Amino acid sequence: MASDHTRSAILTAAERLYADRGFSDVTLRDIVAEAGVNLAAVNYHFGSKDELIAELFVTRSIATNRERLRELKAAEEQGGGRAPIEVILRALVGPTLRGCLGPENQRSTAARFMIRASIESVPPIRRIKNREIDHLRKFVGAMRRALPERSEVDIYWGLNFALAMAHHTIRESERLTKLSEGQCDLDDVEDVVARVVSVATMALTAGRVEAKAPSRVAAR
Amino acid sequence: MASDHTRSAILTAAERLYADRGFSDVTLRDIVAEAGVNLAAVNYHFGSKDELIAELFVTRSIATNRERLRELKAAEEQGGGRAPIEVILRALVGPTLRGCLGPENQRSTAARFMIRASIESVPPIRRIKNREIDHLRKFVGAMRRALPERSEVDIYWGLNFALAMAHHTIRESERLTKLSEGQCDLDDVEDVVARVVSVATMALTAGRVEAKAPSRVAAR
DNA sequence: TTGCAATTCAAACAGTTGTATGAAACTATC
DNA sequence: GATAGTTTCATACAACTGTTTGAATTGCAA
C-alpha cells in the first residue's frame, strides 16, 4: 500500500481532466501525464479505465446519497415518522443541486465532474446509476407516508418530475443562462432548490390536499 | 445523383443501429455492413461520420420543431394572437413526447434514435442542440403574451421545467417503469403529455392567476 | 545486509477507429 | 458507341486506444 500517492494522484488528475474536458476527450495518457505517473499505474491500481471512472463517480454519489438520507431521516424523526412533503423533496434534490451548482468560478472539481457525468453518461456511470433505484425507494416510502391519500402512481410521477427538474437544470444550466440572457441566477442555489421543491410539491398536492399551506406554493 | 440508393441505405442503417445499440457501440464498418455498401461510401456521401450523425439528427429535430411551431401558431391564431398557457406548453412538449414515447414494441426507429440522442448526446448532436435557442425564444414570446403579469424570469424557469420533465421522462422512461414496477404507464403518451403540461402550468400560474381553471390542474 | 513483496517504469502489443487513395464500374450525354 | 462525370470498390493508411509484459526499482522486515 505504501502511501498510495500514485493512486490518489491519478484520481485527482482524472477528476480534474474529466471535469474540464469530458470523458470522450480524455485518454489514460492524458491522465497519467497530468498526474505525473506511469501509464501502467492506472491498470495496476484500478484494473481498468472503467473501474477508475466508476470509483470516481461512486465516491461522489455516495456522499450525495448519504447527505440525502441524513436530511430525510432528520426530517422524519422530527415529525414523528412523517415529514412534510416539501422537506422530503428538499432532501431529495437539495444535496444534488448544492453539489453541482453555485457560482461557476468557485465550483469545485467534484461539482464539475458530476455535471459532466450528468451530461455524458458513459457506460460505467450508467451501470452505477441503475443501482440507485433502491435508494430512491426510500424516498418513495417517505412520500407515501407524507401523502397517504395520494395514489402510488402520482407519487412516482412526482418523484420523477422532481428529479427531472433538478437534473435538467444542472445539465442545461448553461443553456438556461444563455436563453435568459443571464436573468436566471443559477448561482443562487437555494433559490433554485426552492423553485424545484415548490413546483414538485404542487405537482404532488394539487387537486387533493389543496387546503394545506397554499402560501408555500409560490416560488421565492 | 442517380437514385441516391446508397446514401439513403446508409441513413436507414445508421439510424437503426444507433437506435438499437447507441452511438459509442456502432462503427462505420457496422453501418456499411448493415447497409450493404462500401466503407468509403460514408465519407463520399456525407464527408465524415459526424456529418452523417448530424444529418440524421437534424432531419428528425426539424420535423419535431416544425410540428411544435405549427401547433403554437394554430393556437395563437385561434386566440387572436394570444393562446392559453396550457396550449402553448402542450405545443412545446407534445411533439417531442409523442415522437419518442408510445408502446415500446411499436416505437419507430426514428423514435428510438431520438431517445438515444437524448441519452448519449454526442458532440455533433450537442452542437445542433445549441442552435435550438432561437427556436425556444418563440415559445418564450408566446408565453410572455399569455402571462403578461408574470416576470420574465419566471417564464424562463417555467419553460426550463417543462422541457426538464419532458426530456427526463423520455431519457429515464425505463428507470421510471422499473421503479414503479410498471405502474406508471408510459405507453399512454397523451397521459404523459397531460401530466407534464399540468405541472408546468401550475409552475407558471401559481401565486398569480390562481383564479383561473383550478379544475384543470389535477392530472387524471 | 539480505530477501521479498509491492510498486514503478519503458516499451510493446493488439485491436479498432475514421479517413484517404486510386483504380474499376457504372451512367448518361452526345 | 466513345466520353466525361459520377459512384463504387478493395485496400491501405495513420493514428490512437486500453491493456499487458517483464525488467528495474523501491521500501520494509528479518
Side-chain angles (χ1 to χ4, degrees):
Chain A
M1 276 283 163
S3 70
D4 264 356
H5 167 268
T6 303
R7 208 185 128 89
S8 55
I10 291 171
L11 286 170
T12 304
E15 187 168 57
R16 214 179 76 79
L17 288 179
Y18 284 143
D20 286 347
R21 293 160 36 192
F23 294 99
S24 56
D25 264 22
V26 175
T27 71
L28 289 187
R29 282 169 177 80
D30 294 332
I31 293 171
V32 297
E34 171 88 6
V37 303
N38 187 270
L39 175 60
V42 173
N43 288 276
Y44 178 79
H45 285 282
F46 299 94
S48 71
K49 181 197 176 190
D50 277 13
E51 289 173 85
L52 165 62
I53 294 178
E55 177 158 338
L56 282 170
F57 185 73
V58 164
T59 304
R60 299 304 176 190
S61 58
I62 279 181
T64 303
N65 288 348
R66 185 179 6 235
E67 176 61 14
R68 275 177 165 173
L69 289 180
R70 199 192 61 75
E71 287 187 23
L72 177 65
K73 210 177 153 205
E76 287 210 305
E77 278 174 0
Q78 194 180 334
R82 185 192 288 200
I85 186 66
E86 301 95 318
V87 183
I88 296 172
L89 291 169
R90 185 174 294 270
L92 180 71
V93 302
T96 308
L97 286 166
R98 274 186 284 268
C100 290
L101 294 182
E104 188 158 353
N105 53 353
Q106 53 183 273
R107 260 179 223 165
S108 68
T109 309
R112 279 155 42 234
F113 173 82
M114 289 305 272
I115 295 175
R116 281 288 179 191
S118 171
I119 294 176
E120 289 198 32
S121 175
V122 82
I125 289 181
R126 234 173 296 158
R127 258 172 263 138
I128 293 163
K129 279 191 182 150
N130 285 339
R131 291 192 229 118
E132 243 187 5
I133 291 194
D134 289 335
H135 179 256
L136 291 181
R137 277 193 212 290
K138 293 174 185 154
F139 281 87
V140 173
M143 289 165 74
R144 236 189 322 238
R145 287 190 287 279
L147 304 168
E149 308 129 74
R150 204 81 202 178
S151 82
E152 203 154 337
V153 178
D154 284 354
I155 300 277
Y156 288 121
W157 276 108
L159 180 77
N160 178 63
F161 287 157
L163 291 175
M165 291 185 279
H167 286 137
H168 183 91
T169 301
I170 290 168
R171 178 201 311 268
E172 304 284 350
S173 64
E174 216 170 304
R175 194 170 70 165
L176 179 56
T177 301
K178 201 182 296 178
L179 178 67
S180 72
E181 284 158 339
Q183 290 183 71
C184 288
D185 184 12
L186 287 159
D187 295 354
D188 186 351
V189 192
E190 293 311 321
D191 177 59
V192 177
V193 173
R195 284 180 183 273
V196 171
V197 169
S198 158
V199 175
T201 301
M202 281 191 284
L204 280 158
T205 55
R208 288 276 180 118
V209 205
E210 287 170 330
K212 191 185 170 197
S215 62
R216 264 216 109 277
V217 294
R220 246 244 206 67
Chain B
M1 278 281 164
S3 71
D4 264 354
H5 167 267
T6 302
R7 209 186 126 89
S8 55
I10 291 171
L11 286 170
T12 304
E15 186 168 56
R16 214 179 75 80
L17 287 179
Y18 284 143
D20 286 348
R21 293 162 33 194
F23 293 99
S24 56
D25 265 22
V26 175
T27 70
L28 288 188
R29 282 167 178 81
D30 294 331
I31 293 171
V32 298
E34 171 88 5
V37 303
N38 187 270
L39 175 60
V42 173
N43 288 277
Y44 178 78
H45 285 283
F46 299 94
S48 70
K49 181 197 175 191
D50 277 12
E51 288 174 85
L52 165 61
I53 294 177
E55 177 159 337
L56 282 171
F57 185 73
V58 164
T59 304
R60 299 304 176 190
S61 60
I62 280 180
T64 302
N65 289 348
R66 187 182 2 239
E67 175 61 13
R68 275 176 164 175
L69 289 180
R70 199 193 59 76
E71 288 188 23
L72 176 64
K73 209 176 155 205
E76 287 210 305
E77 278 173 0
Q78 194 180 335
R82 184 192 289 202
I85 186 66
E86 300 96 319
V87 184
I88 297 172
L89 290 169
R90 184 175 294 270
L92 180 70
V93 301
T96 308
L97 286 165
R98 274 187 282 268
C100 289
L101 294 182
E104 188 158 353
N105 53 353
Q106 53 185 272
R107 258 178 224 166
S108 68
T109 308
R112 279 156 42 235
F113 173 82
M114 289 305 273
I115 295 175
R116 281 288 178 190
S118 171
I119 294 176
E120 288 199 32
S121 176
V122 82
I125 290 181
R126 232 172 298 158
R127 257 172 264 140
I128 293 163
K129 278 191 182 151
N130 285 340
R131 290 192 232 119
E132 243 188 5
I133 291 193
D134 289 334
H135 178 255
L136 291 180
R137 278 193 210 289
K138 293 174 186 154
F139 281 86
V140 173
M143 290 165 74
R144 238 192 317 241
R145 286 189 288 278
L147 305 168
E149 307 129 73
R150 204 81 201 176
S151 81
E152 203 153 336
V153 178
D154 284 354
I155 299 277
Y156 288 120
W157 276 108
L159 179 79
N160 177 62
F161 287 157
L163 292 174
M165 292 185 279
H167 286 137
H168 184 91
T169 301
I170 289 168
R171 178 201 311 266
E172 304 284 350
S173 63
E174 216 170 302
R175 194 169 73 164
L176 180 57
T177 302
K178 201 182 294 177
L179 179 67
S180 72
E181 282 157 342
Q183 290 183 70
C184 289
D185 184 13
L186 288 160
D187 294 355
D188 185 352
V189 192
E190 293 310 321
D191 177 58
V192 177
V193 173
R195 285 180 182 275
V196 171
V197 169
S198 157
V199 176
T201 302
M202 282 190 285
L204 280 158
T205 55
R208 290 279 180 118
V209 206
E210 287 169 331
K212 192 185 169 196
S215 62
R216 263 215 107 277
V217 293
R220 249 256 196 55

